[in-house]
Amino acid sequence: MADTDLRMPDVQLQTPQHEELLNIIDTLRSLGIGRYVDLPQIIVCGDQSSGKSSALEAISGLRFPTKDNLCTRFATELILRRAPVASVTVTIIPAPDCPEEIAKVLSFFKPPSNSIDEFAKIVLAAEEAMGLNGSNKVFSKDVLRVELCGPTQPHLTLVDLPGIFWAGDKSQSDDDATLVRSLVESYMKKTRSIVLAVISAKSDLAMQVITKLAREIDPQGLRTMGIITKPDLLHADSDSETAFVKLAKNENIQFKLGWHVLKNRDYDTRHTTRAERDAAEEEFFDKRVWSSALMKSQLGVATLRPRLSRVLLAQILTELPGLVQDVGSELQNCKDRLAQLGEPRGTLGEQRLYLLKASHTFVDLMRSAVGGSYFDAFFGSSETSEGYNKRLRAVIQYKMAAFAEKMTKEGQDVQIVDEKIAAQFRGSSFKVISRDKYLEQVTERMRRNRGLELPGLFNPSIVGDLFYEQAKPWSSIVGDTAEELVNSVRTTVDLVLDRSADSVTKEGILRHIILPNMDPICDKLYSKVEEVLRPHVRGHPLTFNHYFTENLQKKRQKQTSASVMAKLRSFFGLRASVTDEQIIQPSFSLKNLVKTLVVESELDMEKFASIEALNAMQAYYKVALKSIVDSFGMYAVEDCLLQPLPEIFSPEIVFGLKDEVVTAIAGESQEIAAEREDLEKKLESLQRTMHTLARLKTLKSPGKDYSVPRKINRG
C-alpha cells in the first residue's frame, strides 16, 4: 500500500525503559511466531454494544465505524510498530477452517483506501470480502489485520472482538451467538493476553456476561482489567452510579489489575476531534462523583494509555521465561516431526531409503523394548501409560508373574481341603470339596476302572484321569495369557512404528509388512501353546523329575504320622488336652499296641489305595504346574513370540520388497508433502525466533531497569 495520506496518531503506549523489550516481541510477531505460540497482546472484549470499539479507538487513535446499529462482526487485530517511515498494511487472515479457494481470495484482499482516516470504509470492504451480507452470514472467524507503522508508534497489539450476546433476532441467530462466544473465549484463553473486560454503565451489571467469562477463564484475575464505559448515561447520585463507582473501586468484582472508567464518543459526537473527545471526557469526570471517589489514574484515556503500558510490560516480563520454553518445545517437536517424515520421497530410491531408515529405527527400538534396555528418549517416563507400554519386557514380566500366580491359585478345577474348611464354603460359587468326600469319589472311580491290579492297589491310569480333570482350567488360563501377550506386543509395535514413520506410511508398513510377518509369529505361538498343553490334557502322566517322588513321600509321611498319632491317642485313652509332644509312662500291652497300629480291614485297604492314588495325583500336579509355567514362558513366549519381533520389519525385508510395493507404502501423498512444507517454514521461523530470543540475555545489562511496581493503583 502506498505511503500517501497517512496521518498516524501518537498513541504513547510505551515508555523509553521498555522500548527494547517490546522491539523483541514485535520482531517475534513479524516472524510469524504467533501462529505457534501465544504472544503478549491486549484484547478488548465485552457484551454487544458495550463500547469495546470506542474504547479501542480512544486507546489507539484509530477511528472505527460509528453507525448506531453497527457492531463488530469479526476480530480486528491492530498491530502498532515503530518504524522510520510511516506505513499501513491491511490484510485479512482467513480462519483455520476456511475453504482453500476462499482463503486464497481473502489473502489477496486490497482495501479501498490508503487513508487511515477512512478506516470505517476499510472495515466495510472487509465485511463484504468475508461475505458478511447481513443475511446468510453475520459473523466471521476471519481476522482483519491492520499494521500501523511510524516513527512515533509503539510496539503493541490490540484486538477488538465481536460483542457477546445470548439470543438471536432477525439480524443474528442463536448459532451466531455460539460462534461469537467461542471466538471470544479462544482469545481470552491465550494466557499471555491482557483482557480488557468492557462493561457498559448503560446496562445492568448482572446482565453482562463478560465478567463471568473473565472469572472462569482467569479465576484469579491476574491478567484482567475492567473497563467501565458510558458513565455519562448514569443519573448523578443515583443508586446505579453508586454501584458502578463501587465496581470501579474493586469492591464488587475484583481484578488484580483493577478497573478504569472511560467516557467515549457517542453517536451524536462521532465527528468530534480526538482533542475534543478528551476534553469532554475530562470535563465530565471533574463535575461528577468519579473524580472524588477514584484515583485520577483510573479515569480517562489519558491515564489509561500509560497504565496499559505498565501492565503490558509486567505481563511481558512475567511471560518471557515461559515464552522461551514454549518456543524451544515447539522447535524440538518440529524437528522430531520432520525427522519422522524424513526426506522428500518423490522417487523410488527416496522411498526405499525412507523405509530403510524407518526399519533401522524399528529394529533398534524393538530390540531395546524386548531386551529391557530403556535408555532411548523414545521410552519416555515409565510413570505414564504410554511409557510403560513401550517397555515390552516390563509388560511381559508383569503378565508372566500374574500368569504364574493365577495358575497357582486358580489352576485346580476343585480345591481339596479338610472338612472344617469345606464347610465354610458350602453354598458359595467357590469350588471346594472335603478330602474325605473326594476320596469317596476316587474310590468309586477306581471300582469302575479296575483292571488286573491286586486288591489294595490301583490302576495307574486313575492318576491321569484325576490329574486331567484337576488341570482343566489350565487351557483357558494359558490361552488367555497368550492372547494378552499378543495384544501387548501389538501395542508396543504400534508405538515403535509411530516413532519410526509418519502416520500415513505407518499404515502402509502395517498392512504390507508388519501384519503379514506377525501372523506366522502368532500362529507359531498358538501352536507352541497347544504343544505345551498337550501332555497335561490327555495321554499318560510322565515325569523323570525326583520332585515327584519327594512330594509323594512327603504326603505319605504326613498322612502316616497323622494316622499313627490318632491310633496312639485312642490306645492310651489320651484326653484332647494332652499335646503330641508330652511324654507319658503308662503300663500297656505291646501285643495290643502293635495290633492297634497294623490291623487294617479290607475296606481300609481300598481306602489306602484311594489315598495313594490321590497322593500321586497331587504330587504329579505340583511337578506339572512348574513344568507348564516354565515351558510356556521359555518355548512359547520367549522363543516364538518375543525373539523374532525385531526382525518383522528389518532392512533385509525392505530390500526384498517389489518396487510397486515400496511406492504403495512410502510414496508421499500431497498431504504429507504439504505438511513437510509447512513444517520447514515453521522450523525456519522458530529457529529465527530462538536467535532473536538470545538477545534477552543482554536485556538486563547495567544501567537498564525493567522493573515494574507491584501495585499499579488502589483498584
Side-chain angles (χ1 to χ4, degrees):
M1 181 177 289
D3 294 335
T4 60
D5 199 17
L6 296 176
R7 288 166 292 185
M8 315 300 284
D10 181 6
V11 184
Q12 296 297 327
L13 273 178
Q14 66 189 57
T15 60
Q17 289 89 338
H18 68 269
E19 182 175 353
E20 185 178 0
L21 184 61
L22 291 175
N23 277 337
I24 291 179
I25 300 299
D26 181 60
T27 301
L28 296 182
R29 187 171 286 109
S30 67
L31 291 175
I33 195 63
R35 293 179 55 192
Y36 314 119
V37 296
D38 294 338
L39 293 174
Q41 61 184 4
I42 296 176
I43 64 172
V44 185
C45 50
D47 287 16
Q48 204 168 82
S49 301
S50 61
K52 301 178 288 47
S53 296
S54 297
L56 183 60
E57 175 185 319
I59 295 169
S60 66
L62 185 66
R63 299 295 293 268
F64 282 76
T66 53
K67 290 184 179 179
D68 193 38
N69 62 349
L70 186 66
C71 60
T72 306
R73 301 299 189 185
F74 46 81
T76 301
E77 292 186 0
L78 178 60
I79 300 170
L80 310 176
R81 295 178 178 172
R82 186 176 296 278
V85 179
S87 64
V88 60
T89 304
V90 180
T91 56
I92 295 177
I93 309 301
D97 58 353
C98 182
E100 185 176 352
E101 293 182 0
I102 298 178
K104 187 175 181 180
V105 173
L106 291 177
S107 64
F108 288 106
F109 169 75
K110 298 293 183 182
S113 174
N114 293 336
S115 174
I116 203 65
D117 289 336
E118 296 185 351
F119 182 66
K121 186 183 295 184
I122 295 175
V123 171
L124 295 176
E127 286 187 1
E128 184 177 352
M130 295 178 190
L132 301 179
N133 53 18
S135 55
N136 296 330
K137 186 178 180 182
V138 180
F139 293 94
S140 174
K141 290 188 287 183
D142 303 321
V143 178
L144 180 65
R145 187 182 183 93
V146 181
E147 299 183 22
L148 299 175
C149 298
T152 60
Q153 283 293 348
H155 297 281
L156 185 67
T157 295
L158 304 167
V159 182
D160 182 33
L161 299 174
I164 300 171
F165 62 97
W166 285 105
D169 55 24
K170 291 182 179 180
S171 61
Q172 50 194 19
S173 67
D174 292 341
D175 290 339
D176 293 330
T178 302
L179 185 150
V180 168
R181 178 159 177 164
S182 175
L183 175 66
V184 173
E185 288 181 354
S186 70
Y187 274 86
M188 294 178 71
K189 288 177 180 178
K190 295 178 179 180
T191 57
R192 295 192 176 103
S193 294
I194 297 295
V195 177
L196 296 189
V198 180
I199 302 296
S200 172
K202 182 180 179 180
S203 304
D204 188 346
L205 180 61
M207 300 300 292
Q208 301 184 64
V209 72
I210 187 59
T211 54
K212 179 176 182 293
L213 278 183
R215 284 176 290 177
E216 289 176 353
I217 295 173
D218 179 26
Q220 294 181 318
L222 298 176
R223 55 185 181 87
T224 303
M225 178 186 291
I227 303 291
I228 299 174
T229 64
K230 307 179 183 179
D232 51 313
L233 299 182
L234 296 170
H235 294 293
D237 301 323
S238 66
D239 291 342
S240 296
E241 185 180 61
T242 302
F244 276 99
V245 168
K246 291 180 65 178
L247 180 67
K249 293 171 70 175
N250 227 14
E251 295 178 1
N252 185 351
I253 298 173
Q254 296 183 350
F255 295 136
K256 290 194 175 182
L257 298 182
W259 288 80
H260 204 94
V261 188
L262 293 178
K263 177 190 177 298
N264 296 325
R265 291 187 182 94
D266 55 24
Y267 185 76
D268 294 333
T269 60
R270 64 189 183 280
H271 297 304
T272 59
T273 67
R274 182 180 176 190
E276 291 171 340
R277 175 236 172 265
D278 293 351
E281 182 181 58
E282 185 175 357
E283 180 183 0
F284 168 77
F285 287 127
D286 285 342
K287 293 181 179 180
R288 298 281 284 268
V289 68
W290 302 94
S291 59
S292 60
L294 302 175
M295 294 178 64
K296 188 176 181 180
S297 60
Q298 292 180 260
L299 301 173
V301 72
T303 58
L304 179 59
R305 296 187 188 108
R307 185 178 179 185
L308 284 177
S309 179
R310 293 191 297 270
V311 169
L312 182 59
L313 175 60
Q315 181 76 345
I316 291 173
L317 290 173
T318 300
E319 294 295 334
L320 274 179
L323 177 60
V324 174
Q325 184 177 357
D326 287 353
V327 172
S329 177
E330 284 291 320
L331 181 60
Q332 188 59 51
N333 292 338
C334 185
K335 289 180 177 178
D336 290 343
R337 181 55 179 158
L338 279 171
Q340 190 178 34
L341 292 179
E343 299 297 324
R345 291 167 281 163
T347 67
L348 178 62
E350 292 171 340
Q351 294 161 6
R352 197 179 293 273
L353 179 61
Y354 177 84
L355 289 181
L356 283 172
K357 290 181 179 179
S359 70
H360 279 295
T361 301
F362 179 88
V363 170
D364 290 344
L365 292 178
M366 189 55 67
R367 282 177 178 167
S368 296
V370 172
S373 177
Y374 313 126
F375 301 110
D376 194 283
F378 159 77
F379 292 100
S381 171
S382 61
E383 300 299 317
T384 65
S385 176
E386 182 176 292
Y388 174 64
N389 287 330
K390 292 175 179 178
R391 292 162 164 78
L392 183 58
R393 174 56 60 182
V395 174
I396 296 296
Q397 293 285 73
Y398 175 80
K399 291 188 179 295
M400 286 303 296
F403 161 71
E405 184 178 2
K406 188 170 185 178
M407 287 288 286
T408 301
K409 292 183 177 180
E410 304 177 25
Q412 300 180 71
D413 184 59
V414 62
Q415 298 287 333
I416 304 170
V417 298
D418 293 337
E419 175 61 34
K420 291 182 179 179
I421 297 177
Q424 298 175 7
F425 289 93
R426 288 198 179 103
S428 70
S429 58
F430 196 66
K431 298 179 71 174
V432 172
I433 189 171
S434 70
R435 184 176 180 83
D436 291 340
K437 186 70 174 177
Y438 191 83
L439 282 173
E440 291 177 7
Q441 296 178 5
V442 173
T443 301
E444 182 63 25
R445 184 187 292 269
M446 290 174 59
R447 290 172 182 167
R448 292 174 175 270
N449 290 276
R450 187 171 295 282
L452 297 176
E453 67 274 8
L454 297 174
L457 302 178
F458 58 86
N459 189 333
S461 65
I462 195 67
V463 177
D465 290 346
L466 295 175
F467 167 74
Y468 297 134
E469 284 196 9
Q470 190 69 325
K472 278 181 180 179
W474 288 12
S475 295
S476 61
I477 295 175
V478 174
D480 291 346
T481 302
E483 192 70 30
E484 286 183 23
L485 296 177
V486 168
N487 289 335
S488 297
V489 165
R490 293 187 188 278
T491 297
T492 304
V493 168
D494 194 70
L495 291 169
V496 172
L497 273 181
D498 283 338
R499 171 58 65 91
S500 306
D502 66 81
S503 57
V504 176
T505 309
K506 170 192 168 183
E507 295 303 319
I509 294 172
L510 277 172
R511 183 169 60 256
H512 293 279
I513 300 176
I514 298 295
L515 294 181
N517 288 327
M518 273 294 294
D519 288 342
I521 290 177
C522 294
D523 292 342
K524 187 176 180 181
L525 170 69
Y526 295 131
S527 177
K528 184 62 66 173
V529 166
E530 291 182 4
E531 183 180 335
V532 168
L533 282 169
R534 191 175 301 123
H536 309 296
V537 296
R538 58 183 177 275
H540 187 75
L542 182 65
T543 181
F544 302 102
N545 195 325
H546 65 85
Y547 184 59
F548 168 73
T549 55
E550 289 178 2
N551 278 327
L552 185 57
Q553 290 170 3
K554 288 178 181 178
K555 283 190 169 293
R556 287 173 175 172
Q557 291 169 0
K558 182 179 180 181
Q559 290 164 3
T560 300
S561 297
S563 177
V564 170
M565 185 61 70
K567 290 177 180 180
L568 287 174
R569 281 182 170 278
S570 175
F571 180 80
F572 290 119
L574 297 178
R575 300 186 306 274
S577 60
V578 178
T579 64
D580 297 344
E581 290 79 11
Q582 286 182 267
I583 300 175
I584 56 175
Q585 296 179 340
S587 298
F588 56 83
S589 167
L590 288 176
K591 182 178 180 180
N592 290 337
L593 176 59
V594 171
K595 182 178 179 181
T596 300
L597 293 176
V598 301
V599 170
E600 299 286 353
S601 64
E602 182 180 350
L603 181 59
D604 289 332
M605 291 297 293
E606 191 175 48
K607 183 177 181 181
F608 175 79
S610 299
I611 292 173
E612 283 291 284
L614 174 57
N615 288 343
M617 182 274 286
Q618 291 183 319
Y620 181 75
Y621 182 92
K622 290 186 176 182
V623 174
L625 180 64
K626 288 179 175 290
S627 173
I628 193 170
V629 169
D630 289 341
S631 297
F632 175 67
M634 290 186 295
Y635 303 122
V637 178
E638 293 295 329
D639 290 351
C640 297
L641 180 61
L642 299 181
Q643 186 271 334
L645 278 180
E647 304 306 318
I648 61 176
F649 181 32
S650 66
E652 290 78 10
I653 290 176
V654 175
F655 275 119
L657 293 175
K658 294 181 179 179
D659 293 347
E660 57 269 24
V661 177
V662 171
T663 300
I665 297 174
E668 196 165 70
S669 65
Q670 292 182 352
E671 291 78 7
I672 293 297
E675 182 184 3
R676 181 184 287 102
E677 183 179 356
D678 289 342
L679 284 170
E680 288 172 347
K681 293 178 181 178
K682 179 179 179 180
L683 180 64
E684 180 183 4
S685 178
L686 289 167
Q687 287 174 333
R688 293 173 62 189
T689 297
M690 289 300 290
H691 178 73
T692 302
L693 288 173
R695 291 169 51 195
L696 294 174
K697 297 180 180 179
T698 62
L699 265 183
K700 293 187 178 181
S701 57
K704 296 182 180 180
D705 181 12
Y706 296 108
S707 60
V708 179
R710 294 192 177 201
K711 189 172 183 182
I712 296 174
N713 55 61
R714 290 181 303 180

